[in-house]
Amino acid sequence: MTDSINSISYGTQPYSAEYSKKQDEQIESLPDQNQSKKKDTIRISAEALNMYNKSTEEEAVPANSWEKLFDLKSGSTTLANGNKQIVKIEGSKLEIYEYHDDKLVKSVHGELSADSAVLETEIYDKAGKLNQSIKTNLQMLKNDGSKSAARVEREITWYQNGQVSRRMNDRMSLESAYKDKAEGQIDNKLSNMFANFTDAQSTDINDLIARSTTDKHSTKYIASVQEFLNGHISKNINIDNSADFINQTNRPSRIEGDSKSGKTNEIKNSNNLKITIQNYDSKGEILRESYFDSKHVDDPRPKGGKLKQTMSVSWYNQGKLVKKSSGSMTMKEAESKKLPPSATLLETLNMDEKDYATGRAKTATELLGKPLMESSSNAGFYSDIIEEKINKGSFDSVENIAKYGEDVRPYEVSWENEIYKDGKLAARQVDTESAKENNIRKKYISNRESSLVEDYSAPTLHKTSHLDESYDKNEVLKKQASIESRESIKEVKNGDDILYTQIEATQDLGNGKQYINQRREGKLEEFDSQANTASKGMSKEIGLTLDDSRTLLNSLDYSK
């Protein structure tokens, strides 16, 4: 790549709302052409003069420099935490030293090239021993003015008593494109935003200065963490978090008092989080392997939000499989009950709104480069939001079903357990539960006198099923029993609807099948004491995986 980071990612037309305002002020020049015999004079306001001086100072600083790109200057300063920081810049090279009570607590060495910035950070403990090292590489991948892509890669190592205790490799990738909001006008036409916003429609960011823009971003964060104990690997975690965002941003203009200026509003968000964990015993043999996948679509349309989660886990004893479980859950939001919100664009990038909603839209390199000095020193910079969402219960939908039930939002849960003995399948259990919209829901009855509105019919109808199987030592099916229960509505013309539960059961103990078929009045949960078995089983394993992830993510930063 021949272009510099500055020319690629920061654009060739820097914008400032203040500059735009001052640009309109007339610089008075006297005399005019008819006064050629008089001495030419120029009267410049103090504001214009200051601006001119500042611009000439900026021109003296190379465009592709630590000073220009990251607002760094050589010298000594006192940080907000009271520590002393010394910065040394020589051309493309950077050195930063941070001291606490005259003891070195952090050092940074950087190298700037045409299309990348590399930082090597070391963090020391109170005794002066190396605690953590972080190598960060910001790369510009693409920038043709209208579309851009960039990536931050990091290699992080933790040390304890002089030995490696943990390693982490992660990567944040970003693709960005913008267009004039007026071209799309998608406020009231939200059904096909992702499909309608094609690469061909994106606009050069230098043509969108101080405009209201529609912004499309795609992020992908991948992290791999290995923990060690006594020289053996004790835990391995892989995180894969990808997301697509559509935002509308009112970018600052010369209009004073514009309260909407500098604001961005998320229109649509599609988020997918995957977590894989392997736990090992003291000998390095695997104990548990789990996989969690959560796909969430935030959609502004009524009932547009969707959530799908899958979970699988395998347990081992001395390296042999003893239990395997897997299942899934899908849920749709209702008009009266939304889904838990997923991370926003600003949360994903760990960026403030004022830094994002600037007069000129930022390229992908600029968005990732703005916080580079922080991301190169904070191991949890990109994963802190995942920990925060876990803490806030954003992935606890299955657990909430198990604890409190779900009578408003349609959902389906399926959970399967397999038990192994001597490496062979010995027993199998499959449980399901679901709730669907009541399509024949009784119409509202209005009381004309009091204007009260009542609804006498359940918003959702529930269904459960349970299957139990046992196998002999040759994995041949020996016994099987199943039961299915489902709710239904009987409409009553001049009264309340009647809720029924249909129960069908089959049992085969090896001496012939037995059947049960009954219809009872009442809710399903009155006749099925294990109605939430599927959600309980799935939520338990999700909880273990999320707790494991939370513990790890909370310990990434030395400052925590």
Side-chain angles (χ1 to χ4, degrees), residues 66-103:
W66 295 105
E67 295 94 327
K68 187 73 173 179
L69 299 180
F70 303 103
D71 196 26
L72 292 171
K73 294 181 179 180
S74 294
S76 176
T77 58
T78 300
L79 303 176
N81 60 6
N83 290 353
K84 181 180 179 181
Q85 177 178 274
I86 298 176
V87 178
K88 298 179 181 179
I89 299 176
E90 292 184 4
S92 64
K93 297 186 181 300
L94 168 72
E95 294 180 17
I96 300 177
Y97 301 96
E98 184 177 332
Y99 296 88
H100 179 75
D101 294 337
D102 296 328
K103 291 184 178 180

Side-chain angles (χ1 to χ4, degrees), residues 283-350:
K283 297 180 181 179
E285 290 188 340
I286 191 165
L287 289 173
R288 180 178 182 267
E289 183 174 22
S290 62
Y291 171 76
F292 173 66
D293 186 344
S294 182
K295 298 177 181 177
H296 185 191
V297 175
D298 281 333
D299 194 310
R301 295 172 297 178
K303 303 181 183 179
K306 299 177 182 179
L307 175 65
K308 181 177 181 180
Q309 294 181 341
T310 58
M311 180 72 209
S312 63
V313 58
S314 297
W315 293 86
Y316 299 85
N317 183 20
Q318 296 181 348
K320 292 183 179 180
L321 179 65
V322 294
K323 183 180 179 180
K324 183 167 67 174
S325 304
S326 62
S328 64
M329 184 277 292
T330 58
M331 178 180 284
K332 297 180 180 179
E333 68 181 13
E335 290 187 30
S336 60
K337 195 173 183 181
K338 302 295 184 180
L339 295 171
S342 54
T344 65
L345 171 67
L346 297 183
E347 289 175 328
T348 301
L349 296 179
N350 206 341

Side-chain angles (χ1 to χ4, degrees), residues 123-135:
I123 299 173
Y124 307 91
D125 61 18
K126 295 179 180 179
K129 294 181 179 180
L130 180 61
N131 179 275
Q132 189 181 71
S133 64
I134 305 175
K135 182 177 181 179

Side-chain angles (χ1 to χ4, degrees), residues 186 190-199 201 215-218 243-246 267-270 297-299:
I186 61 175
L190 302 169
S191 58
N192 296 306
M193 280 188 296
F194 281 113
N196 290 341
F197 196 144
T198 63
D199 289 342
Q201 293 175 322
D215 317 338
K216 180 181 178 181
H217 301 281
S218 295
D244 293 304
F245 304 91
I246 293 286
I267 303 300
K268 190 171 182 179
N269 172 340
S270 177
V297 175
D298 281 333
D299 194 310

Side-chain angles (χ1 to χ4, degrees), residues 187-423:
D187 291 286
N188 299 317
K189 297 180 180 180
L190 302 169
S191 58
N192 296 306
M193 280 188 296
F194 281 113
N196 290 341
F197 196 144
T198 63
D199 289 342
Q201 293 175 322
S202 56
T203 307
D204 191 307
I205 60 174
N206 292 312
D207 296 330
L208 297 174
I209 293 177
R211 305 291 294 272
S212 292
T213 60
T214 298
D215 317 338
K216 180 181 178 181
H217 301 281
S218 295
T219 64
K220 189 174 184 62
Y221 176 68
I222 298 176
S224 177
V225 186
Q226 295 84 38
E227 288 192 330
F228 300 89
L229 183 64
N230 298 325
H232 295 285
I233 185 170
S234 60
K235 184 184 299 182
N236 183 55
I237 294 185
N238 290 283
I239 297 174
D240 186 334
N241 191 192
S242 57
D244 293 304
F245 304 91
I246 293 286
N247 277 45
Q248 285 186 343
T249 304
N250 290 307
R251 302 192 174 277
S253 65
R254 69 186 67 179
I255 301 174
E256 295 184 5
D258 183 2
S259 60
K260 296 181 180 179
S261 178
K263 301 290 183 181
T264 187
N265 179 41
E266 186 172 282
I267 303 300
K268 190 171 182 179
N269 172 340
S270 177
N271 197 298
N272 186 192
L273 173 66
K274 302 175 184 178
I275 300 176
T276 304
I277 302 179
Q278 291 96 22
N279 300 91
Y280 301 86
D281 62 18
S282 58
K283 297 180 181 179
E285 290 188 340
I286 191 165
L287 289 173
R288 180 178 182 267
E289 183 174 22
S290 62
Y291 171 76
F292 173 66
D293 186 344
S294 182
K295 298 177 181 177
H296 185 191
V297 175
D298 281 333
D299 194 310
R301 295 172 297 178
K303 303 181 183 179
K306 299 177 182 179
L307 175 65
K308 181 177 181 180
Q309 294 181 341
T310 58
M311 180 72 209
S312 63
V313 58
S314 297
W315 293 86
Y316 299 85
N317 183 20
Q318 296 181 348
K320 292 183 179 180
L321 179 65
V322 294
K323 183 180 179 180
K324 183 167 67 174
S325 304
S326 62
S328 64
M329 184 277 292
T330 58
M331 178 180 284
K332 297 180 180 179
E333 68 181 13
E335 290 187 30
S336 60
K337 195 173 183 181
K338 302 295 184 180
L339 295 171
S342 54
T344 65
L345 171 67
L346 297 183
E347 289 175 328
T348 301
L349 296 179
N350 206 341
M351 176 172 283
D352 293 330
E353 185 176 46
K354 64 180 178 62
D355 292 325
Y356 175 81
T358 51
R360 181 182 62 79
K362 287 180 167 63
T363 65
T365 310
E366 196 170 4
L367 289 171
L368 293 181
K370 174 69 177 178
L372 188 65
M373 302 311 298
E374 185 177 357
S375 64
S376 64
S377 300
N378 181 346
F381 186 82
Y382 296 113
S383 61
D384 282 346
I385 185 58
I386 298 175
E387 179 194 354
E388 180 182 326
K389 290 300 179 181
I390 292 175
N391 290 333
K392 289 184 176 180
S394 297
F395 306 104
D396 291 349
S397 295
V398 180
E399 180 181 352
N400 292 332
I401 293 173
K403 287 183 176 180
Y404 313 111
E406 179 57 69
D407 295 322
V408 178
R409 295 174 295 197
Y411 76 92
E412 294 182 6
V413 181
S414 175
W415 188 247
E416 178 178 352
N417 288 311
E418 293 181 347
I419 305 299
Y420 290 81
K421 186 176 181 180
D422 297 327

Side-chain angles (χ1 to χ4, degrees), residues 29 32 85 113 130 132 134 160 171 290 300 302 344 417 442 468 493:
S29 177
D32 58 23
Q85 177 178 274
S113 63
L130 180 61
Q132 189 181 71
I134 305 175
Q160 189 171 15
R171 178 174 73 239
S290 62
T344 65
N417 288 311
K442 192 176 181 67
D468 288 285
K493 186 175 183 181

